[in-house]
Amino acid sequence: MTADAPSTPATIDRPSREEAEAAVRTLLRWAGDDPDREGLLDTPSRVARAYEQWFQGYGEDPLEYLERTFEEVEGYDEVILLRDIRVESYCEHHMAPIIGKAHVAYLPTNRVVGISKLARVVEAYSRRFQVQEKLNAQIANTINEVLSPRGVAVIIEAQHQCMTTRGVHKPGVSMVTSQMLGEFRNNPTTRAELLTILGNPTSRFEG
Ligand SMILES: [Zn+2]
């Protein structure tokens, strides 16, 4: 449905668990340590298991989460906003964590989804290698295409550990991206209402 919303492409040749663990041993040696010392012996298998959780988004289809909708909302057609959704993602350039929050809003037509489903969509796209701009667009486009609402707004504020712990080494800096579609994009009043409800997103960042 969305052009940029694939799960694991069928052509990906996944290595075996043993190969993944061997790769972790190689990185431990590359860092300068001895993978055969006692404290590191179980590290490769722990890292492989951690990867299964951190990257479980590849096994999920975000579109599925939005398929079940509710129509008995007594004509409610104002903004629905889920704020402060925890984002745990991974920079595709450095494989370093991106930690922050997403705020997801939409203007329903005649149907709504369970609010936990919006968080599920955020999670399914976050638990992959990402760039924040792409993550932001994928969440907004998926909600827009599946629910066909009058408007969608997705704002993400996050810290990139590839920037806070290395490189330019700027702790405390967070990046804010925002994708507005439909009435949030076209109607300044609607957009202003949303931003008022949200307040200043950057002031509430808690890492
Ligand atoms: Zn990076």
Side-chain angles (χ1 to χ4, degrees), residues 68-87:
R68 183 143 182 267
T69 56
F70 305 89
E71 294 182 11
E72 289 183 28
V73 289
E74 304 280 337
Y76 183 88
D77 62 356
E78 297 293 325
V79 66
I80 294 171
L81 165 66
L82 198 59
R83 65 196 282 174
D84 297 335
I85 305 165
R86 167 96 172 166
V87 168

Side-chain angles (χ1 to χ4, degrees), residues 78-83 103-107 151-155 178-181 183-185 187-201 204:
E78 297 293 325
V79 66
I80 294 171
L81 165 66
L82 198 59
R83 65 196 282 174
H103 314 292
V104 176
Y106 69 105
L107 288 163
V152 179
V154 177
I155 298 167
S178 162
Q179 175 100 59
M180 307 260 178
L181 302 172
E183 287 186 27
F184 287 117
R185 174 179 287 233
N187 186 334
T189 311
T190 307
R191 183 166 62 241
E193 275 171 14
L194 174 70
L195 295 176
T196 302
I197 297 172
L198 274 176
N200 178 3
R204 293 192 323 279

